[in-house]
């Protein structure tokens, strides 16, 4: 039986009336995304038609999911909200704070030793406030959610950008910052700009070496890392229905890599099979009763150009295996000869040192089984591993079942390391080097989602490429980045030329899933007697102090940094070893913007102070300005804040005295996070004004006292030579969000309202 089955049935009990009302109000057939959006309005039954990309709308999500790194700050904020219990089903998953080094057993023990303070805090807060808790080792949040909580037609938010993985089961699952999660946990509406809609029509059928992973790698190559910003991607067509549920999850998962609000598929037979296989027949039965409301209206898929803002068509029969990277997830290259040419042109190392399979993107039973079929061929055909291989199963259920069925043993015979059921290298939790800053240039291939510089191992010289699990396994065995298993052969122990057969695998375990201890702890019915203790001398946890409103008189603000080129949340607030401080705002602020490239000297973590003219680290310079009572400004390029949902990338600058971030364009989640923390997130009206900003500039906000929805702001930029430029900046704040700014943060407003 499913978790929260009564809640799911309640959602289905309302969907018919609400979707029918929305169809009448909009006077047109509806996409699946629209059906879920209109059936989850905060005010209930739809009363008006919303304009895509323009109207801010209040929604009522069904549940919230948090991973341990982001849950710390989210729960620290929720503790201030004045609530006795979460208002919607919520879970916490301990998957980020486990470093991959020696193997699952030792790594998990080490994590429990060094992070016990954080795990105990999360467990006690969960117990007190009615939150389900998944222990360290239970699995990666998004795989666990897919196995236990996702349901067709539902709406979920999660404090991780890859929450979108649940779209593989027909949800609208959206990554948010912790402050957004706190709103919903506290029983308040969640606000989102009504998304635009991108339709991806999949024709044909996957076969051979082509995997669901290749679909999203192809889409990323088409639309770019920011092409999905502000949009929901909805997949449909015969190719979509022919794919497995977990394959759909992989495609939705990496929708975060194109900036999409979320991605989803209509309810179909593969989802029903997955629900029943994961012991949720009750959800499947309930979904079947309203299945026409859990996919788009037939007219939409018959004539998609009439109902989507953009339509992309991909013939799966013509799609081949791809590798995306390095340093960005949208640079797509076909396997084989073309990779040879491009790698040589760009001086990418062709020798591959590691292959990594797993993460929240590709850690299902199906993924492991298909990759293991390649590993088994290596054993059968006398091939030796040329690269090292690491495996991260997605959950304890997947791990236990894969071990039972002999899948993990196959990898182990090739000397692969089976890491913990956790994120590991995918989010920088990988003890690959003792000194990553000075590590050599190299290439790795993985089935993860993100591949920014330093992301996996902290080494800026690691060229990371994203591929399907089966291609990752083949390339790890071959040891070459340009190996194409469709055309290339390898020499075995006997000197024979050997080619791989096509990968095979199981959509679902033939003998069913099995697990002894899935790692779940249910909360107390009454948590009022649960005490939460935070040591005031802790380096890992720190109770929050409310932010003070910035106000409408910003004069004499100094430039902290003008970021050059790509500036992701990894650049603003690195993960890896810094994850240990995610519950301590002051300590983690010591990594603020240390990965951003200074536009003036093209170096990282070295900016000029206008107090003394010296160059120093970004956090130290910001602290000096703050101590002197001088506000600061950050300037950025396009898609600023791309990547993870981590709100630390907004909270750290706010904590260090940054009052405004002015860029050419924002990634959706980061822009919202800035707003939630009571800061100004602004965009240049004229993008060329980015070039006007000089290293010693001072900023005076001329009309902030007239801060209103839809009205640009004016900034006087004073240069060191006395010359001035007047710059116009846009914003997307509505009146409610302006109240967040006026109160100092969204949380301050919640506390005020609750009081």
């Amino acid at each position: 039986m499913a978790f929260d089955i009564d809640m799911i049935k309640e959602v289905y009990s309302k969907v018919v009336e609400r979707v029918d009302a929305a169809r009448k109000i909009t006077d047109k057939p509806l996409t699946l995304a629209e059906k879920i959006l209109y059936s989850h309005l905060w005010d209930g039954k739809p009363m008006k038609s919303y304009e895509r990309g323009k109207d801010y709308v209040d929604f009522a999500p069904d549940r919230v999911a948090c991973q341990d790194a982001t849950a710390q700050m989210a729960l620290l904020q929720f503790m201030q909200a004045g609530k006795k219990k979460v208002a919607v089903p919520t879970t916490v998953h301990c998957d980020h704070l486990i470093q991959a080094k020696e193997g699952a057993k030792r790594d998990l023990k080490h994590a429990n030793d060094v992070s016990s303070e954080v795990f105990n805090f999360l467990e006690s807060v969960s117990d007190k406030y009615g939150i389900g808790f998944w222990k360290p080792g239970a699995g990666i949040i998004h795989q666990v959610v897919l196995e236990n909580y996702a349901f067709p037609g539902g709406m979920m938010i999660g404090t991780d950008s890859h929450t979108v993985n649940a779209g593989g089961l027909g949800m609208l699952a959206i990554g948010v910052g912790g402050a957004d999660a706190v709103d919903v946990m506290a029983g308040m509406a969640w606000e989102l700009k009504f998304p635009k809609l991108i339709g991806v029509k999949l024709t044909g059928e996957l076969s051979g070496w082509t995997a669901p992973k290749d679909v999203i790698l192809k889409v990323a190559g088409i639309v770019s890392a920011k092409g999905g910003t502000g949009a929901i991607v909805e997949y449909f067509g015969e190719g979509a229905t022919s794919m497995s549920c977990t394959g759909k999850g992989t495609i939705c998962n990496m929708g975060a890599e194109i900036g999409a609000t979320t991605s989803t598929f209509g309810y179909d037979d593969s989802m029903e099979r997955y629900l029943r296989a994961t012991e949720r027949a009750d959800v499947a039965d309930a979904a079947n009763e309203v299945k026409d409301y859990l996919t788009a209206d037939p007219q939409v898929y018959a004539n998609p150009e009439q109902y989507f803002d953009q339509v992309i068509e991909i013939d799966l029969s013509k799609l081949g295996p791809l590798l995306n990277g390095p340093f960005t997830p949208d640079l797509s290259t076909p396997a084989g000869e073309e990779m040879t040419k491009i790698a040589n042109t760009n001086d990418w190392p062709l020798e591959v040192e590691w292959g990594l399979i797993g993460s929240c993107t590709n850690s299902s039973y199906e993924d492991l089984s298909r990759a293991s079929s390649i590993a088994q061929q290596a054993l059968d055909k006398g091939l030796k591993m040329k690269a090292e291989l690491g495996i991260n199963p997605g959950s304890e259920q997947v791990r236990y079942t894969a071990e039972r069925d002999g899948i993990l043993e196959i990898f182990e015979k090739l000397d692969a390391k089976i890491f913990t059921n956790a994120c590991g290298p995918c989010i920088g939790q990988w003890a690959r080097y003792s000194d990553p800053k000075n590590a050599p240039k190299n290439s790795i291939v993985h089935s993860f989602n993100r591949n920014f510089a330093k992301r996996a191992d902290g080494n800026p010289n690691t060229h990371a490429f994203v591929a399907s699990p089966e291609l990752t396994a083949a390339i790890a065995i071959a040891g070459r980045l340009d190996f194409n298993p469709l055309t290339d052969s390898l020499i075995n122990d006997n000197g024979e030329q050997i080619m791989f057969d096509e990968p095979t695998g199981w959509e679902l375990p033939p003998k069913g899933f099995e697990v002894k201890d899935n790692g779940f702890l249910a909360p107390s019915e009454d948590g009022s007697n649960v005490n939460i203790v935070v040591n005031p001398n802790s380096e890992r946890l720190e109770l929050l102090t409310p932010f003070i409103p910035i106000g409408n008189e910003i004069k004499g603000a100094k430039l902290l940094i003008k970021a050059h080129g790509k500036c992701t949340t990894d650049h603003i607030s690195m993960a890896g070893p810094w994850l240990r401080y995610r519950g301590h705002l002051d300590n983690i602020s010591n990594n603020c913007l240390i990965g951003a490239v200074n536009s003036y000297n093209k170096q990282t973590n070295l900016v000029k102070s206008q107090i003394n003219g010296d160059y120093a680290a970004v956090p130290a310079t910001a602290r000096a300005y703050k101590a002197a009572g001088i506000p600061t400004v950050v300037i950025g390029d396009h898609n600023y804040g791309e990547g993870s949902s981590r709100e630390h990338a907004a909270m750290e600058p706010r904590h260090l005295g940054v009052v405004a971030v002015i860029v050419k364009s924002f990634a959706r989640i980061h822009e919202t996070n800035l707003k939630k923390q009571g800061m100004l997130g602004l965009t240049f009206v004229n993008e060329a004004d980015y070039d006007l900003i000089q290293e010693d500039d001072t900023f005076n906000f001329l009309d902030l006292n007239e801060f209103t929805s839809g009205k640009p702001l004016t900034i006087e930029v004073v240069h060191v030579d006395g010359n001035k430029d007047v710059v116009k900046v846009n914003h997307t704040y509505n009146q409610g969000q302006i109240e967040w700014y006026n109160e100092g943060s969204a949380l301050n407003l919640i506390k005020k309202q609750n009081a």
Side-chain angles (χ1 to χ4, degrees):
M1 181 172 173
F3 287 97
D4 310 312
I5 185 62
D6 291 337
M7 177 270 287
I8 294 171
K9 289 182 176 179
E10 184 178 356
V11 171
Y12 289 161
S13 72
K14 299 173 182 175
V15 69
V16 173
E17 179 188 19
R18 293 184 177 186
V19 169
D20 286 348
R23 197 183 288 116
K24 185 174 182 180
I25 287 168
T26 59
D27 193 28
K28 67 179 184 64
L30 298 177
T31 66
L32 168 64
E34 289 172 311
K35 288 182 179 181
I36 299 176
L37 291 168
Y38 277 109
S39 64
H40 284 82
L41 296 174
W42 178 255
D43 292 331
K45 188 176 177 180
M47 302 300 291
K48 62 170 287 190
S49 176
Y50 294 103
E51 185 174 348
R52 300 175 192 169
K54 183 176 180 181
D55 289 336
Y56 280 96
V57 183
D58 286 340
F59 293 101
D62 302 312
R63 64 178 313 112
V64 176
C66 308
Q67 40 95 334
D68 50 353
T70 53
Q72 295 170 64
M73 198 58 69
L75 295 183
L76 284 164
Q77 292 177 87
F78 181 75
M79 288 166 62
Q80 295 188 45
K83 297 290 184 178
K84 293 183 179 180
K85 197 170 185 177
V86 291
V88 301
T90 302
T91 52
V92 166
H93 305 256
C94 295
D95 61 355
H96 274 55
L97 298 178
I98 304 169
Q99 188 179 54
K101 185 178 182 180
E102 299 180 73
K105 189 173 291 187
R106 289 185 179 181
D107 292 345
L108 181 57
K109 182 181 184 304
H110 179 71
N112 278 317
D113 289 342
V114 301
S115 294
S116 59
E117 178 186 14
V118 173
F119 294 147
N120 290 339
F121 167 76
L122 294 174
E123 183 179 339
S124 62
V125 176
S126 298
D127 196 26
K128 184 175 184 66
Y129 292 108
I131 298 169
F133 182 76
W134 291 82
K135 297 183 294 186
I140 304 170
I141 176 173
H142 309 307
Q143 180 64 30
V144 172
V145 165
L146 196 71
E147 291 176 8
N148 295 278
Y149 298 112
F151 66 97
M155 176 183 279
M156 178 178 75
I157 62 171
T159 60
D160 188 287
S161 57
H162 293 100
T163 299
V164 294
N165 188 80
L169 248 177
M171 287 195 93
L172 287 191
I174 301 172
V176 299
D180 273 355
V182 170
D183 283 357
V184 177
M185 290 157 66
M188 300 179 69
W190 173 63
E191 183 185 67
L192 177 72
K193 185 182 288 185
F194 205 84
K196 294 185 177 181
L197 301 176
I198 298 174
V200 180
K201 182 178 182 179
L202 302 178
T203 62
E205 190 171 347
L206 294 172
S207 62
W209 283 91
T210 310
K213 186 77 162 197
D214 297 303
V215 177
I216 185 57
L217 296 182
K218 180 69 173 180
V219 171
I222 293 171
V223 306
S224 85
K226 64 176 182 179
T229 302
I232 292 175
V233 183
E234 185 171 328
Y235 293 85
F236 62 95
E238 61 184 6
T241 55
S242 69
M243 264 187 277
S244 68
C245 178
T246 53
K248 293 177 173 72
T250 290
I251 293 170
C252 292
N253 183 297
M254 277 195 68
E257 273 57 54
I258 61 170
T261 300
T262 191
S263 304
T264 195
F265 287 76
Y267 179 58
D268 63 14
D269 292 346
S270 72
M271 296 183 191
E272 180 178 355
R273 289 194 297 271
Y274 189 74
L275 286 169
R276 295 189 187 282
T278 51
E279 298 185 0
R280 289 176 288 171
D282 46 356
V283 178
D285 292 341
N288 286 341
E289 292 180 10
V290 291
K291 62 182 179 180
D292 290 343
Y293 290 82
L294 305 178
T295 189
D297 290 330
Q299 302 95 313
V300 172
Y301 293 161
N303 299 286
E305 292 81 6
Q306 297 179 23
Y307 303 101
F308 292 98
D309 298 290
Q310 178 184 356
V311 177
I312 298 167
E313 185 167 339
I314 298 173
D315 184 348
L316 301 184
S317 303
K318 296 178 180 178
L319 186 65
L322 298 168
L323 291 101
N324 282 30
F327 307 131
T328 184
D330 59 349
L331 180 58
S332 190
T333 305
E337 291 182 7
E338 191 166 343
M339 176 58 81
T340 308
K341 184 194 313 179
I342 294 175
N344 286 331
T345 300
N346 291 282
D347 196 27
W348 299 340
L350 283 171
E351 180 184 351
V352 171
E353 296 188 4
W354 270 88
L356 297 159
I357 295 170
S359 92
C360 63
T361 328
N362 278 110
S363 56
S364 68
Y365 184 91
E366 180 182 32
D367 292 322
L368 296 185
S369 70
R370 285 179 64 83
S372 72
S373 76
I374 304 304
Q376 184 64 58
Q377 289 185 56
L379 294 170
D380 295 342
K381 298 181 180 186
L383 295 171
K384 291 285 195 300
M385 292 286 301
K386 296 291 178 60
E388 296 189 73
L389 184 63
I391 311 292
N392 282 86
S395 68
E396 176 58 16
Q397 178 168 265
V398 166
R399 188 211 65 79
Y400 189 93
T401 306
E403 182 178 59
R404 179 201 68 188
D405 294 347
I407 290 173
L408 297 188
E409 183 182 5
I410 295 170
F411 292 123
E412 290 171 330
K413 286 180 179 178
L414 284 176
D415 294 325
K417 278 192 175 178
I418 310 299
F419 294 125
T420 317
N421 314 319
C423 302
C426 183
I427 47 93
Q429 285 285 56
W430 186 21
R432 183 183 181 193
Y433 297 111
S434 58
D435 182 14
K437 291 182 181 178
N438 297 309
K441 187 174 179 178
N442 72 101
S443 288
I444 65 174
V445 176
H446 58 58
S447 69
F448 306 161
N449 35 49
R450 296 260 153 82
N451 61 346
F452 304 137
K454 300 192 277 189
R455 170 81 177 190
D457 59 9
N459 177 10
N461 299 311
T462 293
H463 293 55
F465 295 84
V466 183
S468 68
E470 45 267 58
L471 184 60
T472 298
I475 288 177
I477 294 165
R480 283 187 62 84
L481 184 64
D482 55 352
F483 177 71
N484 184 354
L486 283 81
T487 58
D488 298 346
S489 60
L490 298 171
I491 305 299
N492 72 0
D493 293 342
N494 298 322
E496 302 166 328
Q497 283 197 332
I498 299 296
M499 288 190 69
F500 284 115
D501 300 323
E502 292 179 352
T504 59
W506 293 274
E507 175 185 352
L508 296 162
K511 293 186 286 185
F513 283 109
E514 188 177 350
V515 66
K516 283 190 175 179
D517 178 7
N518 65 4
F520 176 72
L521 295 178
S524 301
E525 284 294 324
D526 179 6
S528 59
N529 294 321
V530 177
N531 293 319
I532 301 168
V533 179
V534 175
N535 186 337
N537 298 317
S538 172
E539 292 185 348
R540 302 289 299 272
L541 297 166
E542 177 187 49
L543 294 176
L544 293 175
T545 301
F547 287 131
I548 298 171
I550 292 169
N552 58 13
E553 286 289 329
I554 300 177
K555 306 290 184 185
K558 302 296 184 182
L559 177 70
L560 177 60
I561 186 172
K562 178 180 175 180
H564 172 76
K566 185 185 284 285
C567 191
T568 70
T569 49
D570 277 59
H571 295 86
I572 305 167
S573 175
M574 288 184 178
W578 289 96
L579 287 173
R580 64 183 284 107
Y581 299 119
R582 283 282 180 88
H584 197 295
L585 181 56
D586 192 57
N587 282 348
I588 199 170
S589 292
N590 288 323
N591 82 356
C592 182
L593 286 156
I594 64 175
V597 176
N598 183 350
S599 182
Y600 304 106
N601 58 19
K602 300 301 185 288
Q603 297 188 53
T604 58
N605 203 26
L606 192 66
V607 295
K608 185 177 181 180
S609 168
Q610 294 185 49
I611 295 176
N612 55 25
D614 294 341
Y615 284 83
V618 180
T621 304
R623 289 184 188 276
Y625 280 129
K626 182 180 179 181
I630 301 171
T632 52
V633 169
V634 170
I635 303 295
D637 209 315
H638 275 299
N639 209 27
Y640 184 89
E642 168 193 346
S644 168
S645 68
R646 66 191 67 150
E647 64 184 338
H648 299 78
M651 296 184 78
E652 292 172 33
R654 176 75 161 102
H655 177 66
L656 295 182
V658 175
V659 294
V661 179
I662 309 170
V663 301
K664 293 180 183 177
S665 65
F666 282 109
R668 175 191 63 85
I669 299 176
H670 187 66
E671 182 181 20
T672 300
N673 286 346
L674 293 173
K675 293 178 180 181
K676 287 278 185 176
Q677 302 306 330
M679 298 175 67
L680 293 172
L682 309 169
T683 56
F684 292 105
V685 171
N686 179 8
E687 290 182 3
D689 287 347
Y690 170 90
D691 299 318
L692 296 176
I693 308 303
Q694 299 174 22
E695 194 169 23
D696 295 290
D697 280 350
T698 299
F699 301 82
N700 298 316
F701 288 68
L702 303 182
D703 53 2
L704 194 52
N705 60 323
E706 301 172 10
F707 188 21
T708 55
S709 178
K711 183 179 183 296
L713 294 172
T714 309
I715 303 173
E716 179 185 65
V717 183
V718 183
H719 307 302
V720 72
D721 60 5
N723 289 324
K724 301 177 181 179
D725 284 300
V726 175
V727 172
K728 286 284 188 181
V729 291
N730 286 325
H731 66 85
T732 60
Y733 290 74
N734 58 31
Q735 288 306 127
Q737 295 168 345
I738 290 173
E739 278 301 299
W740 300 344
Y741 177 80
N742 291 337
E743 293 294 333
S745 72
L747 182 59
N748 288 354
L749 184 61
I750 291 175
K751 290 172 64 178
K752 182 178 179 180
Q753 291 169 340
N754 284 338

